[in-house]
Amino acid sequence: MSLADAGCPSGSKTGLSFLDRYLTLWIFGAMAFGVGLGYASPAVVRGVTGLSVGTTSIPIAIGLILMM
């Protein structure tokens, strides 16, 4: 038994999913899309900024909760 097989039960090998394999590219793509959207349409920035309570941005809070 090799070290590569140590974590796989009974010879089954599972790889990373497409999303997991390219997660870094998805993140950079989402950031580029967000920056481009904000640059192309300043109304979107004002709309998202309006979705805050005090100093808490509700969209960012929801995103952080979903990531956890």
Side-chain angles (χ1 to χ4, degrees):
M1 176 163 61
S2 69
L3 284 176
D5 296 332
C8 297
S10 66
S12 67
K13 295 187 183 204
T14 58
L16 294 173
S17 69
F18 179 77
L19 179 64
D20 291 337
R21 187 175 300 125
Y22 297 106
L23 185 59
T24 303
L25 293 177
W26 284 109
I27 291 170
F28 281 118
M31 290 188 324
F33 177 76
V35 169
L37 183 63
Y39 182 77
S41 180
V44 173
V45 176
R46 287 190 295 273
V48 171
T49 304
L51 296 173
S52 61
V53 176
T55 58
T56 303
S57 172
I58 300 303
I60 291 182
I62 291 170
L64 289 172
I65 290 169
L66 290 174
M67 285 191 307
M68 286 191 276

